[in-house]
């Protein structure tokens, strides 16, 4: 069974919001998943779409055809938080945590019976 993967690290996206988009395409065929990602108006859908295109390009570099493949797994993990200081009330410093996300997508060939 052939598998191809692609990974995006340190994406400036919220992990929780990215997981919501990832759940919609897990287990779907690649053309169906592309259609879903094009129609969603959420910031993580663009990053996941680019990652899906990257995985297909990786397959083409290995001389494999993955246009009719399925998304076997998509893993969304939390990355490090960027800590920024923002002025708060009464002269205090407020801490803002800017979240990052690691996304990994695995494509698998559909077994032909």
């Amino acid at each position: 069974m052939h598998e191809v993967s692609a990974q995006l690290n340190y994406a400036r996206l919220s992990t929780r919001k990215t997981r919501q988009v990832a759940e919609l395409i897990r287990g779907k065929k690649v053309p169906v998943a592309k259609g879903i990602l094009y129609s969603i108006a959420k910031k993580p859908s663009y990053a996941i779409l680019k990652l899906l295109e990257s995985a297909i390009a990786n397959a083409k570099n290995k001389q494999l055809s993955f246009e009719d493949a399925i998304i076997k797994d998509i893993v969304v993990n939390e990355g490090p938080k960027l800590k920024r200081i923002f002025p708060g009330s009464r002269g205090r410093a407020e801490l803002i945590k800017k979240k990052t996300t690691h996304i990994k997508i695995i494509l698998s060939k559909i077994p032909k019976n």
Side-chain angles (χ1 to χ4, degrees), residues 37-52:
L37 291 172
Y38 275 121
S39 64
I40 296 174
K42 288 192 174 230
K43 187 178 176 183
S45 64
Y46 179 72
I48 293 175
L49 181 63
K50 285 190 72 168
L51 188 62
L52 182 60

Side-chain angles (χ1 to χ4, degrees), residues 35-96:
I36 291 170
L37 291 172
Y38 275 121
S39 64
I40 296 174
K42 288 192 174 230
K43 187 178 176 183
S45 64
Y46 179 72
I48 293 175
L49 181 63
K50 285 190 72 168
L51 188 62
L52 182 60
E53 295 290 342
S54 176
I56 293 168
N58 291 346
K60 286 181 182 174
N61 286 340
K62 294 182 179 182
Q63 281 76 32
L64 300 170
S65 175
F66 271 74
E67 287 297 328
D68 59 341
I70 61 168
I71 298 174
K72 182 179 178 185
D73 197 16
I74 181 164
V75 181
V76 180
N77 291 324
E78 189 175 307
K81 293 184 176 106
L82 302 173
K83 295 173 180 81
R84 301 292 180 255
I85 296 174
F86 188 76
S89 64
R90 296 180 358 190
R92 294 183 184 156
E94 300 289 333
L95 188 66
I96 295 177

Side-chain angles (χ1 to χ4, degrees), residues 22-33:
E23 283 295 320
L24 296 174
I25 63 166
R26 185 176 284 128
K28 302 265 193 303
K29 292 183 179 181
V30 170
V32 175

Side-chain angles (χ1 to χ4, degrees), residues 6-20 22 26 44 47-48 51 73-82 98-106:
Q7 189 164 353
L8 172 64
N9 290 329
Y10 306 105
R12 276 282 293 117
L13 303 165
S14 169
T15 307
R16 181 179 176 192
K17 293 174 185 177
T18 307
R19 281 189 183 129
Q20 289 176 345
R26 185 176 284 128
I48 293 175
L51 188 62
D73 197 16
I74 181 164
V75 181
V76 180
N77 291 324
E78 189 175 307
K81 293 184 176 106
L82 302 173
K98 298 190 175 208
K99 298 172 174 107
T100 60
T101 301
H102 302 314
I103 310 167
K104 183 175 182 179
I105 192 166
I106 301 170

